[in-house]
Amino acid sequence: MLNFNLQVPTRILFGKNKVDELGKEILKYGNRVLLVYGGGSIKRCGLYDRIVQILNEKDIFYAELSGVQPNPRITSVRQGVELCRENRVELVLAVGGGSVIDCAKIIAAGVMYDGEPWDFFQGKARIGKALPVGTVLTLAATGSEMNLTAVISNEDTDEKIGVGGISLYPRFSILDPALTFTVPPHQTAAGTADIISHIFEQYFSPTPGCFVQDRMAEAMLKACIYYGPVAIVEPENYEARANLMWTGTLALNGLLSTGKNTDWGVHQIEHVISAIYDVTHGLGLAILIPAWMRQVLNEHTVVKLAEYARRVWAIHGDDDFAVANLGINKTEDFFRSLGLAASLKEIGVEEGRLEEIADQATADQVPLGSFGQLSRNDVLNILQAAYSA
Ligand code: NZQ
Ligand code: ZN
């Protein structure tokens, strides 16, 4: 296990009707808010009305930025920054999934920066100070509600890039699992796949001796495998939604990556694909993961992949390669059982652009990933396998 520092400042308010505490939390930071949300799901389920009622009851001023798209765009960030400045906003309140939260984080940092917010993503500026961010989470997936990362797309350049900064940690996040009852089956499946992928990116590590992190990771994987299908069939099953929601948060709040090198190769490849094709993030990951596992399986990685198969899928056998391969097949079958597409072809990726995607995914980092150690051609192999899976 490697040395590490861990400090996660986000206050979590978890459970039924926790949104009732929203006003009190906001007033710790001020009484002027930018309310950021997506394409309307919060209006359809009545959450918008409840939030507006709370803001009015507490005399909290609010401006609104609506229409933040999945794979949030830098143009929404620019609009939000302007609204914050015009209205002297003191806290950015994100109500939605990872896209809304990520957009809110960069708005919060953009307000405190004199230049153009895309500078953060081009390495021209570092995230410095930011307005406080609060969140009401409506979708279990990214973990953005308790981490320092934000991923933004630029529609002009077909880029999708993540940045991080201590000031981006939400000050508070309200996690009421009942707010995810309305998440449709496909989005529930994609969210579950995203959570699983976050766990994999940290679990499949070359660093030995992280027993406690690995057993926590396996418990989280089992939670996704058990409760993901339940939430799809019974969308209002509180136990399933609660376990998925808390797993999603824990999977990417820094806990699982303590003391180890992490991989993030699959995420890097998926971000290139979703920048070009506007693919649902978790769906792209689910298609790539089995191909990535098969590509990275070798004499160095087999012990870990076999350990995964044994501990998570209860596969027995003495031959590590055979056991690891069965575990990979199980993983692939699981994603398909959630109703997720199995190949890049099915989601509209063009075969003629796979080389370009491999180039972009490895433009800044070769080898890509610490467990996988992918060359540019390894990435191309993964893309070709995932294309016609
Ligand atoms: O826009 P609305 O109408 O709200 O609908 C959304 C959207 O269409 C809908 N939705 C959300 N909550 C709902 C709901 N529909 C019904 N009922 C509800 N309660 O779901 C759709 C997808 O929302 P989105 O926020 O895009 O999903 P997700 O949470 O998966 O976020 C994905 C984004 O986060 C990034 C991804 O790359 C992608 O851009 N990521 C952010 C990370 C981070 N900040 O740490 C890490 C991740 O690896 C990821 O890269
Ligand atoms: Zn992800």
Side-chain angles (χ1 to χ4, degrees):
M1 196 188 301
L2 308 174
N3 293 358
F4 65 89
N5 298 338
L6 179 67
Q7 183 175 8
V8 187
T10 305
R11 175 171 160 82
I12 296 292
L13 295 91
F14 189 100
K16 288 175 189 163
N17 299 319
K18 278 288 180 177
V19 80
D20 292 348
E21 294 175 43
L22 177 63
K24 197 175 76 189
E25 290 301 315
I26 291 173
L27 288 172
K28 292 179 184 171
Y29 305 97
N31 63 358
R32 300 182 71 81
V33 163
L34 179 68
L35 171 59
V36 183
Y37 58 96
S41 69
I42 70 160
K43 288 199 168 162
R44 288 190 293 279
C45 71
L47 177 60
Y48 173 86
D49 289 343
R50 177 76 190 109
I51 285 178
V52 166
Q53 186 193 9
I54 291 169
L55 297 176
N56 287 335
E57 277 168 11
K58 296 279 182 189
D59 248 344
I60 296 170
F61 165 87
Y62 65 95
E64 288 187 41
L65 175 68
S66 61
V68 174
Q69 292 160 285
N71 299 323
R73 313 301 144 92
I74 194 69
T75 43
S76 301
V77 172
R78 292 183 188 124
Q79 286 168 12
V81 168
E82 236 169 78
L83 283 167
C84 286
R85 288 186 178 145
E86 278 166 16
N87 293 289
R88 291 175 290 111
V89 161
E90 293 168 302
L91 176 132
V92 184
L93 177 65
V95 183
S99 295
V100 169
I101 298 174
D102 285 3
C103 184
K105 286 176 171 177
I106 301 303
I107 291 170
V111 175
M112 307 298 255
Y113 172 62
D114 278 343
E116 148 63 35
W118 190 246
D119 287 354
F120 295 132
F121 300 87
Q122 292 187 301
K124 291 185 186 167
R126 290 172 70 92
I127 300 280
K129 286 186 182 162
L131 288 178
V133 174
T135 88
V136 179
L137 183 67
T138 64
L139 172 56
T142 65
S144 186
E145 64 277 9
M146 200 178 183
N147 72 34
L148 50 57
T149 306
V151 186
I152 301 290
S153 296
N154 186 328
E155 57 271 59
D156 296 329
T157 58
D158 275 355
E159 286 173 290
K160 178 174 177 179
I161 302 175
V163 294
I166 299 286
S167 61
L168 301 186
Y169 276 111
R171 301 300 171 92
F172 65 86
S173 283
I174 295 179
L175 276 55
D176 178 348
L179 295 178
T180 65
F181 285 173
T182 53
V183 177
H186 180 261
Q187 206 67 54
T188 302
T192 303
D194 190 23
I195 300 170
I196 289 176
S197 179
H198 296 159
I199 301 166
F200 284 162
E201 301 279 20
Q202 302 164 91
Y203 176 76
F204 292 116
S205 157
T207 314
C210 298
F211 184 96
V212 69
Q213 294 90 326
D214 286 355
R215 300 300 83 79
M216 285 194 289
E218 287 155 4
M220 291 184 203
L221 288 169
K222 287 181 186 175
C224 292
I225 292 163
Y226 182 71
Y227 285 113
V230 176
I232 289 170
V233 178
E234 299 170 40
E236 302 201 3
N237 184 314
Y238 184 85
E239 181 180 318
R241 294 295 195 180
N243 279 279
L244 285 177
M245 191 173 232
W246 190 220
T247 304
T249 305
L250 290 173
L252 199 51
N253 71 351
L255 190 65
L256 292 185
S257 61
T258 49
K260 48 161 68 173
N261 289 316
T262 53
D263 195 277
W264 299 103
V266 175
H267 266 69
Q268 174 65 18
I269 303 169
E270 195 288 328
H271 282 173
V272 176
I273 293 173
S274 56
I276 301 173
Y277 294 102
D278 201 14
V279 167
T280 300
H281 174 61
L283 169 61
L285 296 167
I287 294 171
L288 292 169
I289 285 168
W292 175 84
M293 286 179 159
R294 293 191 176 104
Q295 177 66 38
V296 305
L297 176 59
N298 60 34
E299 64 276 16
H300 304 296
T301 60
V302 67
V303 172
K304 187 77 181 181
L305 279 153
E307 181 176 58
Y308 158 68
R310 290 190 178 102
R311 288 185 181 268
V312 175
W313 293 106
I315 293 169
H316 300 291
D318 298 331
D319 179 345
D320 277 357
F321 273 97
V323 168
N325 271 310
L326 286 171
I328 296 170
N329 294 346
K330 281 274 192 192
T331 311
E332 187 169 47
D333 292 346
F334 175 73
F335 289 139
R336 289 186 189 186
S337 77
L338 296 182
L340 294 167
S343 71
L344 294 178
K345 192 177 181 177
E346 277 175 66
I347 61 168
V349 174
E350 299 141 288
E351 196 170 15
R353 294 191 76 173
L354 298 183
E355 299 256 359
E356 178 193 340
I357 296 168
D359 286 341
Q360 276 193 41
T362 51
D364 296 329
Q365 195 197 341
V366 186
L368 179 61
S370 61
F371 183 77
Q373 304 255 333
L374 305 172
S375 68
R376 182 258 181 211
N377 282 349
D378 294 336
V379 173
L380 185 61
N381 283 342
I382 291 170
L383 290 165
Q384 284 166 341
Y387 178 79
S388 48

